[in-house]
Each structure stands twice: as C-alpha cells, then as structure tokens.
Amino acid sequence: MDFGMPVLIEMKSLEENVDLCRELELQFVELNMNLPQYQIERLENTAYFRRIAKQAGIYFTIHLDENLDIANFNSMISDAYMETVKRTIDIAEKLCVPVLNMHMNHGIHFTLPDHKVQLFEEYFDIYMEMFHKFIELCEKQAEGTNIHICIENTNGFQRYEKAAIEDMLKSSMFSLTWDIGHSHACENIDEPFIMKHEDKLYHFHIHDAIGKKDHLICGTGEIDFRQRLGVAKKQNCRCVVETKTVNALKQSVKWLRKTINQETF
C-alpha cells in the first residue's frame, strides 16, 4: 500500500507540502481543490506540478471541490461543475494522477412542520438523469486512462445518493473511498453499503475519532486501525493520513509505523 498526506492549511506552497511528504517518506500528496492554490487554472500549469513531483519522487492525487453539485437544478451551476471535472480529468491524465476523490452533495432540503424534504429525493428522476450524464461525460473524457473517480463517505449516504453511487460503480472508472474517521463519527452507518461493494474500494482516508469527533491523531481514539487497514491492504488501496496539522500528521505517521508493521510504509 502507498501512504500519502493531504495538503495542509499551515503550508501555503506546494513545495512546503512536498518537502514534508519527502521528510515523512510518504509516497504522494493529495491536492485539494477547495484551496485557492489548487484551483483548476493553477492545476492546468501541469509542467510545474509534474516537475515538482518528479524532483521529489512522489505523485499526486486530487480531492475535487467538496461543493461539487452535479445535480444542481440550475444548469449553469451543474454545467460549471461538469466542466470542472472534465478539465480535472485532463489534468490527471497529464500528471499521471490515479485518483480523483469526490463527495456526494446532499442538496437543499425544505423544512415542513413535521419533517424535512430533500429536493433530490423529491425530484429523484431529474437527480438520476444528471448523474447518468455525469457518468457518460467522465467515461468519455477518461477513455484510455487508468484514472479512478472515488466517492467518499462523509456523514451518511442518503437513499438517492446510494442509487446514484450504485449506477456509478457499474462503470470501471468509479470506485469508493472509505474515510474511516467519518465512518466512525456517524456510527458506521455507511459500512454495510461500503462492504457490499468491497471490491470497488480503491482509496482510504485515515484518521482517528472519538464519538463524533474525527480527524484526530492516529492512535488517540477508538478506531481499530488493524482491522480497517487490513481491508485496505486486501484491496490494495492507497491511504491518505488525513490529519489537519503538521504536528498531528507527524505523530500519526510515527504511530502508524510503530504500530502497524507495514514494510511498504
């Protein structure tokens, strides 16, 4: 298994993140498109990113914007996100990026006197139509590549999201990311769905959690890392050590090396 790190908010430049990646002897850095440094126009300077990666002997994965809203009913918004993913696939091909990580967007809900109505649930046919369009676009754009778009669990997949994910997973280019901290924080509600599709696991985000508090230093919480990383190893997944500070990352990597005897780590 390969282990990597996310870009950290403390580090303003790509070079700082890559230097830390090398210091910790990790294999990759996950670029995050929520940050201004890694917006599409910046990433399209692929010569720069390719040079940095080659010099350091590492590679990149990319975390798509967490606001990604493929099924937004405003076509100008959904089209913008479609175009963003299309252009990011081109970048991934040029940079030999194996994984684009994405979140599902729950969408807007209306609060009625006795319950909430999720609009994507209410207008399910439109929602699914947009995701079928998304699948078609991604398959066409990534044809001939080995790029995987990995769908990450967050705070519990909604019914309509599971339906869309089921259809995405029918395509060879879509896989799953298991964020074990998110999973723990919502009482592992998504675990049965994830394990139903265990053969589609391709990417992991790892951090510890206590109750609903996650992104903790590995080894300081309640997660059974041996069990979780056993699944990752079985499926030959790469793992992002997704703590949020330099200190937490260093402590997590140290703990993982001491506790989990991974020859490749």
Side-chain angles (χ1 to χ4, degrees), residues 40-50 95:
I40 195 79
E41 296 83 4
R42 300 286 187 92
L43 292 176
E44 285 179 330
N45 183 5
T46 52
Y48 164 70
F49 284 89
R50 192 163 51 241
L95 295 180

Side-chain angles (χ1 to χ4, degrees), residues 59-78:
Y59 64 92
F60 299 121
T61 59
I62 296 176
H63 195 308
L64 292 164
D65 185 341
E66 292 181 18
N67 295 313
L68 194 73
D69 193 357
I70 296 304
N72 195 292
F73 301 142
N74 184 329
S75 61
M76 291 185 290
I77 293 174
S78 59

Side-chain angles (χ1 to χ4, degrees), residues 3-14:
F3 286 79
M5 57 171 276
V7 288
L8 299 173
I9 195 70
E10 295 172 74
M11 297 184 159
K12 304 306 180 186
S13 72
L14 175 65

Side-chain angles (χ1 to χ4, degrees), residues 150-188:
C150 294
I151 306 144
E152 178 187 349
N153 60 294
T154 53
N155 59 349
F157 291 129
Q158 302 294 311
R159 187 200 70 85
Y160 51 88
E161 292 173 332
K162 289 181 181 179
I165 294 168
E166 293 271 8
D167 281 1
M168 283 190 278
L169 293 180
K170 293 174 184 177
S171 167
S172 61
M173 78 167 297
F174 286 91
S175 301
L176 293 174
T177 294
W178 193 355
D179 187 307
I180 63 174
H182 291 167
S183 190
H184 184 90
C186 62
E187 301 179 339
N188 295 308

